[in-house]
Amino acid sequence: MHAADRIRIVLVGTQHPGNIGSAARAMKTMGLHRLVLVAPERFPHADAVAMAAGAGDVLDAAPRVSHLAEAVADCRLVLGCTARSRRIALDELLPGDAASRAVATAAVSADTQVALVFGRERTGLDNDELQLCHAAVTIPADPGYSSLNLAAAVQVLCYELRMAMLGLRALAPAAAAAPAPDGDVPASHAELEGFFAQLGDTLDAIDFHKGRAPASAMRKLRRIFLRASLDDRDVRLLRGVLADAQRMARLAGERGG
Amino acid sequence: MHAADRIRIVLVGTQHPGNIGSAARAMKTMGLHRLVLVAPERFPHADAVAMAAGAGDVLDAAPRVSHLAEAVADCRLVLGCTARSRRIALDELLPGDAASRAVATAAVSADTQVALVFGRERTGLDNDELQLCHAAVTIPADPGYSSLNLAAAVQVLCYELRMAMLGLRALAPAAAAAPAPDGDVPASHAELEGFFAQLGDTLDAIDFHKGRAPASAMRKLRRIFLRASLDDRDVRLLRGVLADAQRMARLAGERGG
């Protein structure tokens, strides 16, 4: 089951170390072992070890990094678990669809790493962190009482990942088709961020914003392109278009200057 | 959602009161509220209340009985959750199939009560208890490390019950999610073609093709944007970007000419 080696669970800013241990246990029962901790408040900690029960090896192997961007730098698919729809309008997936997509992406090659990201117990993921995600995953909790424990949410997602890895869930055609539309490798996080940076520069160069704050337009454009599941060739093509628009803007500036 | 009123979660011989609280929380997040406790080792208990978080009402309403037979006396369907296949050969269901069956049974009438039964943390359900069950439910854990926490198992089953109650397992996810990502109207054929025409003009204006036949690049770009399921606001935003690139190209041309 090689997909399990390419799917990591990322916990961001976890406040209670016991939850890190419980999450490790939840992962291991479902055959997953790659845990990454982003700025945990207290770790290592005896509570984490106690709650991990027999999953101490998952804890011991977990790298710690400072920012989510580091944790997902080499990932082709980043899914952020959120309690409900947020200000940032990402596509929202159900856990089963998210798992199908994650496993299908991880199955493409050893190079197609996938991350499922879980935020802080109280406040979840912040907007900057959600910007790094290709889509959101939402467990359809009762709106009247939606406070799943962090480890419980990890358990549900890992259970769906296992069902998908075992082929026990019929693949939704859309989920199966999404990651690599024509058999190409999905663009990596770094490639996408390079493209978005150049897109931002190009909007400046062609004076798209005209004094308005650029954040809103960039957010919408990110959403459009993340939804399109770009592969590396798509990114190269789009960056070629941007390069020519930038060249033209430079020319206009030089000739005007 | 009347099925929720006819489905009870039965915990048998629970050893740690904290697990009873966590199970109550897991139930409530998934819209379930009927908990029955069979001979809990320690209950009521402060740990149960602490772990229940906002689900204290579920604890308070939970009847306590001495034997499983009392807890399920009025039930038409009794499903016993087991870690693995046991000596007693019951039908084994996956959690999703168990949930579909439970919800379908509960939907028949007010008289068709259903129980999902969870055994002791260490030893599960004994043979006499399994004899009371119509079928077993098994979460397909990793055989190398199958020790799900009791509350985690309750969470997974209650999640599946909720998916079944919401009818989210039957729906084709693609049909539900794809067309209008944030509730906006998908762009019409005419709007999309207007956008593609302007995209073609812009590529000419910024001299993207440089003598190559434009058909191949346009085909790839169409595919990217069709995949992104654009709504009309997306199209307006993208056409705004194109308009500025065209303006810049015109400026470069005029100043050069």
Side-chain angles (χ1 to χ4, degrees):
Chain A
M1 204 186 298
H2 298 298
D5 298 329
R6 296 179 201 141
I7 298 176
R8 71 192 68 173
I9 301 296
V10 180
L11 302 182
V12 179
T14 310
Q15 290 152 327
H16 300 293
N19 284 337
I20 298 175
S22 298
R25 179 176 176 179
M27 288 171 59
K28 190 168 175 180
T29 61
M30 298 293 117
L32 294 164
H33 59 95
R34 297 192 57 203
L35 173 64
V36 180
L37 304 174
V38 178
E41 289 201 2
R42 287 173 293 157
F43 191 86
H45 193 283
D47 287 357
V49 177
M51 297 306 285
D57 54 333
V58 173
L59 285 188
D60 292 341
R64 259 188 299 168
V65 300
S66 309
H67 296 99
L68 177 56
E70 295 169 65
V72 301
D74 59 335
C75 290
R76 307 274 167 158
L77 178 64
V78 181
L79 301 173
C81 299
T82 61
R84 60 197 69 80
S85 37
R86 308 291 288 238
R87 294 131 300 198
I88 290 185
L90 283 173
D91 272 3
E92 261 187 71
L93 303 175
L94 287 168
D97 299 331
S100 298
R101 193 159 152 188
V103 170
T105 301
V108 173
S109 81
D111 197 35
T112 49
Q113 300 281 327
V114 174
L116 263 85
V117 183
F118 296 80
R120 296 155 195 85
E121 286 91 335
R122 265 159 221 263
T123 54
L125 296 169
D126 67 29
N127 283 356
D128 287 348
E129 288 157 354
L130 282 171
Q131 295 267 11
L132 298 177
C133 298
H134 297 85
V137 191
T138 306
I139 298 172
D142 188 331
Y145 181 74
S146 60
S147 81
L148 262 82
N149 168 267
L150 173 59
V154 172
Q155 183 71 66
V156 167
L157 265 297
C158 291
Y159 158 74
E160 286 285 11
L161 286 169
R162 184 161 177 84
M163 294 294 284
M165 286 188 291
L166 293 174
L168 291 174
R169 203 67 95 191
L171 272 192
D182 29 9
D184 281 308
V185 181
S188 71
H189 173 80
E191 284 166 341
L192 284 174
E193 292 305 321
F195 164 65
F196 287 131
Q198 189 180 356
L199 178 59
D201 291 346
T202 305
L203 294 185
D204 288 339
I206 65 175
D207 190 27
F208 175 71
H209 302 299
K210 303 180 187 65
R212 293 167 305 207
S216 159
M218 270 309 292
R219 215 164 34 230
K220 290 171 191 157
L221 288 165
R222 284 179 74 100
R223 210 168 69 223
I224 290 172
F225 287 106
L226 286 176
R227 231 165 35 217
S229 318
L230 303 175
D231 63 33
D232 344 12
R233 286 192 311 186
D234 293 333
V235 169
R236 278 199 299 279
L237 172 64
L238 290 168
R239 291 193 73 158
V241 173
L242 293 180
D244 281 324
Q246 287 175 307
R247 185 173 51 77
M248 209 49 78
R250 212 158 39 234
L251 212 56
E254 279 166 19
R255 287 178 175 171
Chain B
M1 202 186 299
H2 298 298
D5 298 329
R6 296 179 201 140
I7 299 176
R8 73 193 66 172
I9 301 296
V10 181
L11 302 184
V12 179
T14 310
Q15 291 153 326
H16 300 292
N19 284 337
I20 299 176
S22 298
R25 177 177 178 177
M27 289 171 59
K28 190 168 175 179
T29 61
M30 299 293 116
L32 295 163
H33 59 95
R34 297 192 56 201
L35 174 65
V36 180
L37 304 175
V38 178
E41 290 203 1
R42 288 173 291 159
F43 190 86
H45 194 283
D47 286 357
V49 176
M51 296 306 285
D57 53 334
V58 173
L59 285 187
D60 293 341
R64 259 188 299 170
V65 298
S66 309
H67 296 99
L68 178 57
E70 297 170 64
V72 301
D74 59 337
C75 290
R76 307 273 167 155
L77 178 64
V78 180
L79 301 174
C81 298
T82 61
R84 63 197 68 80
S85 39
R86 309 289 288 234
R87 294 129 301 195
I88 291 184
L90 283 172
D91 274 3
E92 259 187 74
L93 303 175
L94 287 169
D97 300 331
S100 300
R101 197 160 148 188
V103 170
T105 302
V108 172
S109 81
D111 197 35
T112 48
Q113 301 280 327
V114 174
L116 261 84
V117 183
F118 295 81
R120 298 155 193 84
E121 286 92 335
R122 265 159 223 262
T123 55
L125 297 168
D126 67 28
N127 283 356
D128 287 348
E129 289 158 352
L130 281 170
Q131 298 269 15
L132 298 175
C133 299
H134 297 88
V137 191
T138 305
I139 298 172
D142 189 328
Y145 181 74
S146 61
S147 80
L148 261 81
N149 169 267
L150 173 59
V154 172
Q155 183 72 67
V156 168
L157 265 298
C158 291
Y159 158 75
E160 287 285 11
L161 287 169
R162 184 161 178 82
M163 294 295 284
M165 288 189 289
L166 294 174
L168 289 173
R169 273 303 175 220
L171 269 192
D182 31 9
D184 282 308
V185 181
S188 70
H189 174 79
E191 282 167 338
L192 283 175
E193 290 309 317
F195 164 65
F196 287 132
Q198 188 181 355
L199 179 59
D201 291 346
T202 306
L203 293 185
D204 288 340
I206 65 174
D207 191 26
F208 176 72
H209 301 300
K210 302 181 188 65
R212 291 167 305 205
S216 159
M218 271 310 292
R219 213 167 33 234
K220 290 171 192 158
L221 288 166
R222 285 180 73 100
R223 218 167 55 223
I224 289 172
F225 287 106
L226 287 175
R227 230 163 36 217
S229 323
L230 304 176
D231 63 33
D232 30 9
R233 287 191 310 185
D234 294 333
V235 169
R236 278 199 298 279
L237 173 65
L238 290 167
R239 292 193 72 157
V241 173
L242 294 180
D244 281 323
Q246 287 175 307
R247 184 173 51 77
M248 210 49 76
R250 211 159 37 236
L251 209 58
E254 279 165 18
R255 285 178 178 173

